[in-house]
Amino acid sequence: MNTMLARTGYICGASHPKDHVYGTLGISSLRIVPDYSSDKSVGDVYVEFVTAIMEGDKESGLFFLSMAGIGLFENNLKLPSWVPNFPEISQGTSSMAYSGNASFGIFGSDVPIARISGQVLSVAGIQVQTLSHLGASPTVEGFSDKRLLSFIRDFSARHPKYATGIPALQAIYRAVTTSTTYEFNVSNLFRAQTFVHFLMNNVFVKHDDVENIRRKLVGFGLPLSGPDAHFDILNTFFSHIDIGPDEIESTSAKIGVPDSMELYQEEISNARMQLSRDLRVNEQRRLFETDSGYLGLAPEKAAEGDLVCILSGYEMVALLRKCDSSYIFVGPCFVLGLMGGEAMAYLDAGQTKIKIFDIK
């Protein structure tokens, strides 16, 4: 119950920021005594709240980080970067949550549990990558931004294959739509086709000649136009180790020769609506690349040099910023290829070690 209240405390219509905590005490078992004096800051109240929940529920983990971070919130109340920012969420700033379990299987029972001392959260974790390039927000409107298109074109040119082995174009699509898995089926073929058309509609301009079209197609890693361009584009999107060209041609034929034009239009319409919904939530997120060539979405105020980390007890990838001998929590992020415990490979290869992050 206490953990559930913490996840929904922002819905409390609080006239005072402390009431996002104090307003829930009547229906919780938390032993917190309201204190509205100036001696106790709002940050102190939120730290006490999180501490009480963690002590009462050892299995709660660090779920509260998904409602925190300097990368998304203005933080006018000078809260510790890791506590939930209930006031700003209640005013409409969306918290960030992604599906997956980035810490799955990485940390054993011998790893120290997270602890709070003063306004510092100390938690075990590993640093796996560093944010090296930032693009614009991949919204519907954002794809008309030359900075975003340049980012995508540059990434495609440098990485014909993504770090996990899938084609770069598929990786870009899955990063901007936060798709951790991508099943090969007719629906996803329609979505692939819709995404490529959407991308190219923002790249081509009215007076492009043949040479400009050719140059732009090559720049984005797409095949040149021709009688088989439709199949070639789908091959570019799906041609990785799990799927052969015969299967692509067989399945994509269901798009090229639909049972009826009405059904075809319905599938395309559904794919466009789904793409629009997927991109709509990216307004406060920015596309990024790490120093290892991974793609992801970060909070709006993320910066190059921020650290991509996996924290014990936290299901999402955490973005931290070094600050002297401690760290600041920037926010949760999505990293394609790190959302299901894959970072264990870094430990196995000796490329990183478990350490304690002191987050302020």
Side-chain angles (χ1 to χ4, degrees), residues 25-212:
L25 295 181
I27 54 174
S28 77
S29 60
L30 298 178
R31 296 180 178 180
I32 295 176
V33 178
D35 183 350
Y36 290 94
S37 71
S38 59
D39 293 334
K40 192 163 194 171
S41 70
V42 176
D44 291 334
V45 174
Y46 291 4
V47 168
E48 183 182 20
F49 184 53
V50 173
T51 302
I53 289 174
M54 290 178 64
E55 290 177 350
D57 183 0
K58 302 299 184 183
E59 303 299 320
S60 63
L62 305 179
F63 69 91
F64 50 86
L65 291 179
S66 300
M67 300 179 282
I70 64 165
L72 186 60
F73 303 106
E74 295 296 335
N75 198 15
N76 295 323
L77 293 172
K78 308 300 181 185
L79 305 173
S81 65
W82 53 270
V83 301
N85 197 317
F86 291 135
E88 290 192 47
I89 296 175
S90 68
Q91 294 299 314
T93 302
S94 300
S95 58
M96 287 191 172
Y98 303 104
S99 62
N101 188 352
S103 61
F104 179 76
I106 295 178
F107 303 100
S109 58
D110 58 330
V111 173
I113 63 172
R115 61 182 180 84
I116 297 171
S117 177
Q119 293 200 344
V120 177
L121 172 68
S122 297
V123 57
I126 56 175
Q127 177 191 335
V128 290
Q129 298 176 18
T130 302
L131 197 155
S132 59
H133 297 92
L134 269 170
S137 298
T139 59
V140 172
E141 296 79 12
F143 271 89
S144 62
D145 189 323
K146 290 182 179 179
R147 294 174 301 164
L148 181 60
L149 295 174
S150 177
F151 179 101
I152 293 173
R153 182 173 57 246
D154 177 63
F155 181 86
S156 301
R158 290 185 291 107
H159 304 285
K161 293 287 185 183
Y162 190 59
T164 61
I166 64 175
L169 194 61
Q170 185 189 139
I172 292 164
Y173 170 77
R174 288 173 59 179
V176 301
T177 59
T178 64
S179 303
T180 53
T181 59
Y182 198 66
E183 194 175 333
F184 181 71
N185 55 40
V186 173
S187 293
N188 280 335
L189 281 172
F190 274 105
R191 291 177 184 177
Q193 181 187 30
T194 299
F195 178 71
V196 171
H197 288 175
F198 173 73
L199 181 64
M200 289 299 101
N201 283 341
N202 285 285
V203 171
F204 296 139
V205 296
K206 185 177 181 180
H207 301 295
D208 272 344
D209 57 22
V210 173
E211 182 55 34
N212 274 336

Side-chain angles (χ1 to χ4, degrees), residues 98-347:
Y98 303 104
S99 62
N101 188 352
S103 61
F104 179 76
I106 295 178
F107 303 100
S109 58
D110 58 330
V111 173
I113 63 172
R115 61 182 180 84
I116 297 171
S117 177
Q119 293 200 344
V120 177
L121 172 68
S122 297
V123 57
I126 56 175
Q127 177 191 335
V128 290
Q129 298 176 18
T130 302
L131 197 155
S132 59
H133 297 92
L134 269 170
S137 298
T139 59
V140 172
E141 296 79 12
F143 271 89
S144 62
D145 189 323
K146 290 182 179 179
R147 294 174 301 164
L148 181 60
L149 295 174
S150 177
F151 179 101
I152 293 173
R153 182 173 57 246
D154 177 63
F155 181 86
S156 301
R158 290 185 291 107
H159 304 285
K161 293 287 185 183
Y162 190 59
T164 61
I166 64 175
L169 194 61
Q170 185 189 139
I172 292 164
Y173 170 77
R174 288 173 59 179
V176 301
T177 59
T178 64
S179 303
T180 53
T181 59
Y182 198 66
E183 194 175 333
F184 181 71
N185 55 40
V186 173
S187 293
N188 280 335
L189 281 172
F190 274 105
R191 291 177 184 177
Q193 181 187 30
T194 299
F195 178 71
V196 171
H197 288 175
F198 173 73
L199 181 64
M200 289 299 101
N201 283 341
N202 285 285
V203 171
F204 296 139
V205 296
K206 185 177 181 180
H207 301 295
D208 272 344
D209 57 22
V210 173
E211 182 55 34
N212 274 336
I213 291 174
R214 178 187 181 282
R215 178 175 53 82
K216 289 178 177 180
L217 285 169
V218 171
F220 282 89
L222 290 168
L224 302 180
S225 299
D228 296 321
H230 176 75
F231 291 139
D232 291 343
I233 286 175
L234 293 176
N235 270 282
T236 301
F237 206 92
F238 288 103
S239 60
H240 55 95
I241 56 175
D242 296 323
I243 300 169
D246 292 340
E247 186 175 359
I248 292 175
E249 184 170 354
S250 172
T251 307
S252 62
K254 296 178 182 178
I255 292 180
V257 188
D259 293 337
S260 70
M261 184 54 65
E262 183 179 344
L263 176 61
Y264 175 78
Q265 293 296 343
E266 181 181 349
E267 291 284 0
I268 287 293
S269 177
N270 290 338
R272 286 173 179 166
M273 286 191 293
Q274 183 61 53
L275 179 61
S276 179
R277 284 193 294 267
D278 289 340
L279 298 182
R280 192 179 302 132
V281 299
N282 291 339
E283 185 174 344
Q284 294 176 309
R285 304 169 181 178
R286 297 178 67 184
L287 185 64
F288 69 82
E289 179 186 355
T290 72
D291 57 347
S292 298
Y294 280 67
L295 289 172
L297 293 178
E300 190 174 24
K301 300 182 186 69
E304 293 177 0
D306 287 344
L307 308 176
V308 177
C309 302
I310 311 296
L311 303 179
S312 178
Y314 188 48
E315 294 185 345
M316 290 182 233
V317 178
L319 206 58
L320 301 181
R321 186 171 297 167
K322 193 80 166 66
C323 183
D324 298 324
S325 59
S326 58
Y327 298 84
I328 295 173
F329 183 66
V330 179
C333 62
F334 175 89
V335 183
L336 182 63
L338 289 180
M339 302 302 291
E342 297 92 339
M344 184 67 190
Y346 286 78
L347 278 174

